Amino acid sequence: MSLAPDITEQLARARADLRMGVPVVVTGVAPALVIAAETLSPQRLADILALDGDPVLAITARRAETLKARVYDGDLARIALPKNATLDWVQSIADPADDLRTPMKGPFACLRSGDAALHRTALLLAKTARLLPAVVVLEMPDAVEFGRAHALTQIDLARTSAELSIRSPLHPVVQARLPVEVSEAGKLHIFRPENGGEEHYAMEIGRPDRSKPVLARLHSACFTGDVMGSLKCDCGPQLRSALLQMGAEGQGVLLYLSQEGRGIGLANKMRAYSLQDQGFDTVEANHRLGFEDDERDFRLGSDILKSMGFSTVRLLTNNPRKVEMMQASGIKVAERVPLRVGENVHNAGYLAIKAAKSGHLL
């Protein structure tokens, strides 16, 4: 019946459970118990090790490269969990915070046979929960019955993989007049994804003509820069400069996308900052954490623009990838408008890496 949760709602439950350190059951060809390494507790680790079967710690290939663990599955590695594994050991594999202090964590027994589809989906689920991409997986023939007996959330592998492969539809929730410093003719639009994820926002300045290219900015949320005035990035100055330009022209739209830390979340962004304090650049830090250079999906911006009636933009950005993704997803970019502001002694190296490794036009 319709009162039962569908796969989207089940995944929202599963993400919440993983963030709380509660295991979930993934059903399919090989039913399994899955729990996030980051939120694993000593007692739950002991309970998992006491069950029949061979638990595996799955990590991304990026993290495996740092640990010198063998990668046989392309984008991930499956490490057999020793029966005497401790929580400290498991979490040291997931979290690179002490890599320089204790670099030798192996030797690792990495699996090279069997299907890694379940592990791949579990890692993606952990990422979407804004957790470190490392999960303990225990295949159990009786996982379904075990899950029911322990009131665990159960999700189907095939349906989960399909759901995670698409971006959740965004729906407008509300819009209201919002006078701001750059323009008294401001309006804030709220958009909510169907999957229970974070909301995204569009700040409309003036009354832009939908038939003409609108001055637009895709701005990823940056609590440290936008709110706290961090000098480690150029986000805050870019946000303010974009709004000032829109105010000066009398119209524009700034999309504020909830994709903190290049899509890895604020906690993981702070982990990356900690690694930068150890001498790694921003890309190296992301890789050591197990993430790609940039985990954001700028197609969210095109979805919002289309919903608001825009089809052509003058895009305020230094990032060619944003232009490419706008064009590929149906929004014409009539002009790329440079946004070179905010460089200082604290972020000069960061900006140089953005140019050298991420292709930003600085």
Side-chain angles (χ1 to χ4, degrees), residues 24 29 145 154-155 168 171 213 236 241 264 291-292 330 345:
V24 300
V29 177
E145 292 76 13
Q154 299 193 26
I155 53 177
S168 179
H171 299 291
S241 178
I264 66 177
F291 296 102
E292 296 302 317
V345 296

Side-chain angles (χ1 to χ4, degrees), residues 11 42 65 75 84 93 97-99 156 158 166 195 208 210 220 247 256 259 262 280 286:
L11 287 179
E65 180 182 6
D75 56 350
N84 62 349
I93 303 302
D98 70 343
D99 278 358
D156 175 74
I166 59 175
N195 65 4
R210 267 58 173 174
S220 297
Y256 199 82
Q259 300 190 118
R262 295 189 177 186
F280 301 103
N286 270 28

Side-chain angles (χ1 to χ4, degrees), residues 51-322:
L51 294 171
D52 291 336
D54 300 308
V56 169
L57 178 58
I59 58 175
T60 67
R62 290 295 191 188
R63 182 66 182 136
E65 180 182 6
T66 295
L67 297 171
K68 303 297 187 289
R70 295 274 187 170
V71 176
Y72 296 111
D73 300 309
D75 56 350
L76 65 93
R78 293 170 293 151
I79 301 173
L81 207 62
K83 284 296 183 182
N84 62 349
T86 64
L87 182 62
D88 285 345
W89 183 83
V90 171
Q91 293 187 335
S92 74
I93 303 302
D95 190 341
D98 70 343
D99 278 358
L100 295 187
R101 183 168 56 85
T102 57
M104 302 302 292
K105 297 179 172 65
F108 303 110
C110 294
L111 306 186
R112 60 189 307 169
S113 62
D115 191 350
L118 185 153
H119 307 78
R120 183 171 292 109
T121 297
L123 284 171
L124 183 54
L125 186 61
K127 278 187 178 184
T128 62
R130 296 291 188 260
L131 296 170
L132 287 168
V135 291
V136 174
V137 178
L138 176 62
E139 294 185 6
M140 301 173 61
D142 62 343
V144 173
E145 292 76 13
F146 183 90
R148 288 173 182 158
H150 293 84
L152 302 180
T153 298
Q154 299 193 26
I155 53 177
D156 175 74
L157 175 59
R159 295 173 68 200
T160 296
S161 298
E163 181 71 15
L164 293 179
S165 69
I166 59 175
R167 64 186 185 277
S168 179
L170 288 170
H171 299 291
V173 177
V174 66
Q175 55 180 277
R177 189 177 68 86
L178 182 65
V180 291
E181 290 181 353
V182 301
S183 173
E184 293 185 2
K187 183 185 293 185
L188 186 64
H189 304 250
I190 309 298
F191 293 84
R192 182 177 295 160
E194 285 185 4
N195 65 4
E198 297 159 302
E199 293 167 348
H200 306 281
Y201 318 113
M203 185 66 202
E204 185 176 3
I205 301 298
R207 294 181 177 83
D209 186 340
R210 267 58 173 174
S211 67
K212 298 179 180 179
V214 63
L215 184 63
R217 163 79 180 158
L218 305 183
H219 190 88
S220 297
C222 179
F223 171 77
T224 51
D226 300 341
V227 180
M228 303 307 295
S230 168
L231 299 177
K232 285 179 67 71
C233 65
D234 54 345
C235 302
Q238 284 189 326
L239 173 66
R240 290 183 284 277
S241 178
L243 286 172
L244 282 170
Q245 290 188 55
M246 292 174 190
E249 291 197 11
Q251 59 181 15
V253 58
L254 186 138
L255 307 182
Y256 199 82
L257 307 178
S258 298
Q259 300 190 118
E260 180 88 40
R262 295 189 177 186
I264 66 177
L266 183 57
N268 288 322
K269 173 181 169 179
M270 289 299 98
R271 290 185 170 112
Y273 275 13
S274 180
L275 292 173
Q276 290 172 37
D277 289 341
Q278 296 178 28
F280 301 103
D281 67 41
T282 182
V283 172
E284 292 168 342
N286 270 28
H287 290 178
R288 294 186 79 89
L289 287 165
F291 296 102
E292 296 302 317
D293 303 24
D294 195 333
E295 299 271 351
R296 291 174 291 181
D297 186 352
F298 295 119
R299 294 174 301 176
L300 294 169
S302 68
D303 292 344
I304 293 175
L305 287 167
K306 291 174 187 175
S307 175
M308 294 177 68
F310 297 106
S311 60
T312 308
V313 297
R314 296 165 51 228
L315 195 61
L316 277 159
T317 185
N318 304 321
N319 186 352
R321 183 165 169 258
K322 289 184 180 180

